[in-house]
Amino acid sequence: MCAVALGIFCLITSELLPVGLLTPVGDDLGVSDGTAGLMVTVPGLVAGFCAPLVTVGAGRLDRRFVLVGLIALMAAANLVAALAPGFAVLLAARLLVGVGVGGFWAIAGGLAVRLVPERHVGRATALVFGGVPTASVLGVPAGTLLGELGGWRFAFAAVGGLGLLTLAALLLLLPALPPTRHTTFAQLPALLRSNRGVRAGVTVTFLVVAGQFAAYTFVRPILQEVSGIDVRFVSTLLLGYGLAGVAGNFLAGARDPHRTLLAVGAFLAVILALIANVPGTVAGTVLLLAWGLVYGGVSVSLQSWMIKAAPDEPEAASSLMVAMFNLAIAAGALSGGLAVDGISVSAAPLTGAVLMALAAVTAWVASTAGSARARARVQVRGGAHAHKPARADGSPRAGAAPGGAGAQTAPETSGADHR
């Protein structure tokens, strides 16, 4: 499980690495900050399409070798990026990173149930998906620091080297993982049509992640131009953001995903609106740390939402969430780039704030509807028990509790219970 978590960390770090390197890459290769943001947009788009494609295309292949191949592709792509003579070659390498991210993440999502005893599945899933926020909040500042110490090419080369180490760990530690269920293309849209919880989860995924990356893709220019923070302190502040995010991941891990994502959307809408309008190094620092703390719980909450919504089809539900997550990264980075180039740097976090507010509303509606359906099921069960006729001797039938209408109903079960 640690090897798989390391793979997730490595891939998401690779996907988001340009966030802290936009300015030096743009200056060196002669492109604007908005154009440099395509380094995040392109792999996000590719990953979004490749998540279901790889899940279906893997077919009957051993999942161990699929994961190894995807990590190898990511490592090679980063080494090519480190040597890229121009922005076009760099962007082509980023496309290959997207293939690795989408495929690996979608397949890794369903491995916990196969690698650990049932009682540890929850914690193992949190460990694997903890690699997502950890990469978001630690990988980016680490890459920024490496870029400041040795240049942006050194940062890409370092992530490529980490990919090779991850490849070795997967080969040494993962057992054979033959497929247990074959996912088809028809199964994915069918799940969206038939499962209201999955549809709501996919929608919230898009809004939260797009809102995040509309702002976070441009966090460096935001800190420098809006908050007035000296460039020398940006990597340190991003490290603080990362540590706050790791804490947020653990705080959110065991909580109800609907309520958690409602709170995340509401708080981040306020934080992003403030960071766009309140200048000053102190305000910028406090708001950045709060941003990291709140966003840290997003990935594990989204995965918990999808497993809860579709406990019998975790791989299909996970691939849908991963696809939307990565498409949202691309959409957010693109919308933020258009806002920055067309209006100003402060327009990027304002765009994110609007999307976060919409995510909070969607999560609230889904939570309210889910609670109403749960109450209706309990009432139906209670009525069925209450009206069961008694035996001839006057004793209640099996399953009917004494007291008729006061009969107790079985509690709702979670996705883990169904599984």
Side-chain angles (χ1 to χ4, degrees):
M1 293 309 303
C2 288
V4 175
L6 179 61
I8 289 285
F9 172 83
C10 190
L11 282 157
I12 305 302
T13 296
S14 177
E15 182 177 19
L16 304 182
L17 183 64
V19 168
L21 303 172
L22 286 183
T23 302
V25 170
D27 291 344
D28 189 28
L29 300 181
V31 297
S32 68
D33 281 347
T35 301
L38 291 173
M39 292 187 293
V40 179
T41 303
V42 166
L45 282 171
V46 173
F49 286 110
C50 283
L53 288 176
V54 173
T55 301
V56 173
R60 304 190 183 282
L61 296 176
D62 189 313
R63 291 333 190 222
R64 174 176 180 249
F65 294 113
V66 174
L67 296 182
V68 167
L70 292 170
I71 282 289
L73 180 65
M74 182 279 300
N78 277 284
L79 295 176
V80 170
L83 301 172
F87 189 70
V89 175
L90 178 56
L91 212 55
R94 299 294 298 162
L95 184 149
L96 296 179
V97 168
V99 176
V101 170
F104 191 102
W105 189 355
I107 291 174
L111 292 183
V113 295
R114 303 182 61 183
L115 295 175
V116 300
E118 185 175 356
R119 66 183 183 277
H120 295 313
V121 166
R123 282 187 292 173
T125 301
L127 172 64
V128 169
F129 283 92
V132 178
T134 304
S136 303
V137 297
L138 289 182
V140 171
T144 304
L145 181 60
L146 289 174
E148 292 177 356
L149 294 175
W152 65 267
R153 294 180 185 275
F154 176 66
F156 279 103
V159 175
L162 180 60
L164 294 177
L165 291 176
T166 305
L167 186 153
L170 291 171
L171 284 173
L172 290 173
L173 300 175
L174 273 187
L177 293 168
T180 57
R181 178 181 295 181
H182 180 53
T183 302
T184 65
F185 282 116
Q187 184 180 352
L188 301 178
L191 182 60
L192 273 177
R193 288 194 302 268
S194 64
N195 193 311
R196 188 179 304 176
V198 169
R199 289 198 303 273
V202 167
T203 303
V204 172
T205 298
F206 176 81
L207 292 171
V208 169
V209 178
Q212 166 71 6
F213 285 94
Y216 189 64
T217 302
F218 304 94
V219 66
R220 182 168 180 155
I222 289 168
L223 293 176
Q224 292 179 223
E225 298 179 28
V226 179
S227 302
I229 293 172
D230 192 289
V231 66
R232 295 174 297 173
F233 303 116
V234 169
S235 60
T236 302
L237 288 177
L238 289 177
L239 180 60
Y241 172 99
L243 295 174
V246 172
N249 177 60
F250 286 106
L251 287 173
R255 300 181 185 277
D256 177 75
H258 298 86
R259 295 178 181 176
T260 300
L261 289 164
L262 167 59
V264 164
F267 279 117
L268 285 180
V270 174
I271 291 169
L272 293 178
L274 289 174
I275 205 169
N277 291 287
V278 180
T281 57
V282 174
T285 300
V286 172
L287 289 170
L288 183 70
L289 295 177
W291 183 359
L293 179 68
V294 176
Y295 183 74
V298 165
S299 298
V300 66
S301 297
L302 289 173
Q303 183 64 28
S304 297
W305 182 315
M306 300 304 283
I307 290 177
K308 184 177 181 180
D312 297 324
E313 299 178 275
E315 190 171 277
S318 180
S319 70
L320 288 171
M321 188 273 287
V322 172
M324 188 55 71
F325 196 108
N326 286 281
L327 288 173
I329 290 176
L334 180 60
S335 63
L338 293 173
V340 168
D341 285 348
I343 306 174
S344 67
V345 169
S346 60
L350 287 176
T351 302
V354 172
L355 292 168
M356 289 297 182
L358 292 173
V361 171
T362 305
W364 177 77
V365 171
S367 178
T368 302
S371 298
R373 289 194 299 272
R375 287 194 298 270
R377 286 195 296 268
V378 170
Q379 290 171 359
V380 169
R381 290 179 184 179
H385 285 305
H387 291 90
K388 283 186 178 181
R391 294 192 180 95
D393 62 1
S395 63
R397 287 187 181 274
Q408 295 180 346
T409 59
E412 292 296 310
T413 55
S414 66
D417 295 325
H418 284 300
R419 183 166 62 247

